[in-house]
């Protein structure tokens, strides 16, 4: 881990069989157990609720192009300052086959040719929602409705709002980047030194994680 979290991860030795099984599934999918997962595990019912919610949200969110959705989520995490979310989100974009190199130029999204008009509109919306107080306007939402339809705007708003929750929770609990994007995910504290780290499967996305 890059720093000590404000609540220690729950080791499998203190977890019930269901949580241990969820740890194994998460590690098989992502190459390492996501640290927010191990901390939420102190509250088993919320851990299960989070896993179910994330899975259903992933399965339901297919109205928008992946690049539009993921860039909006990435901007939100970055604006809040959740380094874990930025790290994990970058990995998800890479596994989705998206161009992660252009993330280096995201500050210039409004003028950079690396981003499409739809992506610019989504990032600007993420910025307007995440700003406190928000700066969303009727004109902005009307433009998004023309681009993505009502269901697309709902999906985009939902994803940005959900990332606000994830990012603020992780930041508050002191959860920082884990090395997912680099492929060198840090081991959880209870892992044995000889235990191999499995790489994330390329066809897996967001299930069972708190971000």
């Amino acid at each position: 881990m890059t720093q000590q979290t404000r609540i220690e991860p729950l080791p499998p030795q203190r977890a019930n069989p269901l949580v241990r099984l969820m740890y194994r599934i998460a590690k098989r999918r992502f190459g390492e157990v996501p640290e927010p997962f191990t901390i939420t595990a102190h509250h088993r019912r919320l851990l299960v609720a989070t896993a179910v919610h994330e899975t259903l949200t992933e399965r339901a969110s297919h109205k928008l192009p992946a690049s539009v959705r993921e860039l909006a989520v990435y901007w939100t995490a970055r604006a809040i300052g959740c380094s874990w979310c930025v790290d994990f989100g970058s990995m998800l974009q890479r596994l989705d086959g998206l161009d992660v190199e252009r993330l280096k130029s995201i500050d210039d999204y409004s003028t950079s040719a690396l981003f499409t008009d739809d992506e610019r509109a989504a990032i600007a919306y993420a910025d307007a929602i995440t700003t406190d107080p928000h700066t969303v306007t009727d004109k902005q939402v009307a433009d998004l409705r023309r681009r993505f339809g009502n269901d697309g705007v709902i999906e985009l708003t939902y994803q940005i709002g959900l990332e606000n929750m994830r990012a603020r929770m992780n930041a508050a609990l002191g959860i920082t980047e884990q090395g997912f994007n680099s492929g060198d995910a840090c081991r959880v504290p209870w892992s044995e030194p000889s235990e191999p780290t499995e790489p994330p499967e390329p066809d897996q996305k967001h299930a069972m994680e708190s971000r």
Side-chain angles (χ1 to χ4, degrees):
M1 303 300 172
T2 55
Q3 71 173 42
Q4 185 175 2
T5 55
R6 294 185 173 114
I7 296 177
E8 74 282 359
L10 181 70
Q13 295 85 352
R14 289 168 47 198
N16 67 17
L18 174 61
V19 172
R20 291 198 296 271
L21 173 62
M22 295 171 76
Y23 281 3
R24 288 196 295 272
I25 294 171
K27 185 169 185 177
R28 188 162 60 247
R29 291 196 70 173
F30 305 119
E32 189 53 88
V33 184
E35 194 169 26
F37 200 84
T38 67
I39 293 174
T40 307
H42 285 284
H43 196 309
R44 180 174 55 85
R45 291 188 176 185
L46 280 182
L47 175 65
V48 173
T50 298
V52 171
H53 179 237
E54 291 284 353
T55 300
L56 292 177
T57 299
E58 175 194 350
R59 291 178 179 175
S61 299
H62 294 288
K63 296 296 183 180
L64 296 171
S67 64
V68 169
R69 182 176 58 253
E70 293 300 332
L71 283 172
V73 169
Y74 180 88
W75 179 274
T76 301
R78 192 166 170 271
I80 291 172
C82 176
S83 63
W84 190 92
C85 301
V86 169
D87 174 42
F88 195 80
S90 299
M91 177 194 71
L92 293 178
Q93 290 194 49
R94 175 170 51 80
L95 294 180
D96 275 337
L98 302 177
D99 180 8
V100 294
E101 284 300 311
R102 65 177 178 162
L103 296 178
K104 298 174 183 178
S105 303
I106 199 166
D107 281 335
D108 301 319
Y109 76 89
S110 62
T111 57
S112 173
L114 295 174
F115 302 93
T116 67
D117 287 343
D118 284 353
E119 290 168 348
R120 293 190 190 102
I123 295 170
Y125 188 49
D127 188 59
I129 290 177
T130 306
T131 298
D132 191 15
H134 77 81
T135 59
V136 178
T137 65
D138 292 343
K139 181 179 179 181
Q140 185 175 36
V141 174
D143 175 63
L144 292 169
R145 290 178 68 189
R146 285 191 295 271
R147 294 175 184 276
F148 307 123
N150 290 339
D151 50 2
V153 174
I154 294 297
E155 181 175 311
L156 183 60
T157 307
Y158 195 96
Q159 288 283 346
I160 294 168
L162 179 58
E163 184 58 27
N164 265 270
M165 184 276 289
R166 295 187 191 111
R168 294 181 191 280
M169 182 174 178
N170 291 343
L173 293 175
I175 302 171
T176 59
E177 70 277 359
Q178 214 175 326
F180 280 106
N181 188 44
S182 67
D184 300 319
C186 302
R187 294 180 183 279
V188 286
W190 58 80
S191 292
E192 294 296 331
S194 59
E195 181 181 349
T197 298
E198 301 177 20
E201 299 177 15
D203 60 340
Q204 299 297 332
K205 307 285 196 302
H206 306 235
M208 294 206 310
E209 48 92 15
S210 315
R211 266 196 172 176

